[in-house]
Amino acid sequence: MKVVLLHFCFTEYTVELANGLANYADVTLIQPEKLKADCQQVLDPRVQVRNFAKPRIRDPRNVLAMAEMMRLIREAQPDVLHVQETNDFWYDLTLLFNKMPPLVTTIHDVFRHPGDRDNVPGSEYTRRIAFYKSQALIVHANPLKQALVQQFRVPGDRISVLPHGEIGTFFQKWSEGVHLPREPHTLLFFGRIWPYKGLQYLVKALPLVAERFPDVRLIVAGRGQNLEQYFPDGYDPRQFEILNEFIPLKAVAGLFERSTVAVLPYIESSQSGVAAVAYTLGTPVIASNVGGLAEMVNDEQDGLLVPPGDVRALADAIIRLLGDRELQQRLSAAGLARCQTDLNWSNIAAQTVEIYQRAIARAQR
């Protein structure tokens, strides 16, 4: 089987999927030129790579970029085209007006997150083209499938739910063998700092945690706007380590290795790449019991779930985990075990190939 993977973002996810698929298919990865450097040293050598120049979203030269993208797809002559959802209306319109090979699309987020400033005007409507043009859709949680069926009238038999595979391996490769020691009372909030991530609840919970563990420390790592709103009176650098910037790929694994727990206090969630990193690196997870997180994290088995927006419950869970070494070890071991089972890319790739086969059969009807 010849597979073309096309992506404009979700690099770590796409690389690990390509590496897994290389055991089952002839894989070609097509991507914007700017993503080339992020993939080079971590891709399986069996994966062929084709790059194309992609201007900024408002540049009319995107017409030429889409023409080149289509040329590369046709040149590869795939049995199936698998696309990671885009935030790019140029691609969406190209999909609308061109005949495509049998098409599979992974929808990471059915709806844009509240406060997501990366949303491109108009794409919220044009991206729906992929919902209906695809022979098969992949999502990472049952609530996303339900939303596609109930609100967008997508037939349920075209939607498959697959877990979000572990992506810590991607960052481990970038760390080049450098490992950092675990810090006993360090918490990690990682990723884009948008309102739906619930950072304010974690900041409010920290003084409660400090009553029990005075040396508790929170790392806030990721880009976000108006970070000052969380610290109107400033912050104590002994208690907070603020990295309000894009985290270099080679530094990501070290942040998780240093931390006793990764905290995901989201108030809305579709799925979580952060948990998928934490499990690989043996970092226990505390997360909100909301959306796809409630399926990603198995409460009391490989993580702890708390009600979203509940500062006291969040603080209690953190205190419990920091004070119980045996619980830390049990959750860490369970997360690592999942990276060899349902979150393992070889297993996910095998299930994905079955979806490809159904998509090809559906396209031939």
Side-chain angles (χ1 to χ4, degrees), residues 106-184:
T106 296
I107 306 296
H108 293 263
D109 300 303
V110 174
F111 302 104
R112 295 305 182 198
H113 297 295
D116 187 342
R117 296 177 183 271
D118 288 344
N119 192 21
V120 175
S123 66
E124 184 64 25
Y125 301 98
T126 61
R127 66 195 295 268
R128 302 178 190 184
I129 295 168
F131 296 175
Y132 306 110
K133 291 277 284 188
S134 300
Q135 277 71 44
L137 298 175
I138 297 172
V139 295
H140 297 311
N142 282 292
L144 302 185
K145 178 175 180 176
Q146 294 168 6
L148 287 169
V149 171
Q150 295 172 5
Q151 300 192 42
F152 296 98
R153 306 301 180 188
V154 178
D157 62 354
R158 287 206 285 118
I159 308 169
S160 298
V161 180
L162 294 183
H164 189 302
E166 63 85 10
I167 51 177
T169 298
F170 176 90
F171 296 109
Q172 284 178 319
K173 293 173 183 175
W174 270 100
S175 69
E176 300 177 338
V178 176
H179 298 285
L180 299 179
R182 192 79 66 186
E183 299 171 8

Side-chain angles (χ1 to χ4, degrees), residues 211-241:
E211 292 176 4
R212 176 67 175 81
F213 298 99
D215 61 341
V216 67
R217 183 174 175 82
L218 172 61
I219 302 172
V220 178
R223 287 184 297 188
Q225 297 185 352
N226 194 21
L227 196 59
E228 294 77 13
Q229 67 180 305
Y230 302 107
F231 307 100
D233 300 317
Y235 61 86
D236 185 346
R238 294 171 298 179
Q239 196 168 60
F240 292 91
E241 181 177 340

Side-chain angles (χ1 to χ4, degrees), residues 33 40 234:
E33 179 77 31
Q40 276 182 320

Side-chain angles (χ1 to χ4, degrees), residues 302-316:
D302 49 55
L304 301 178
L305 292 174
V306 298
D310 190 329
V311 172
R312 181 75 257 181
L314 180 60
D316 287 345

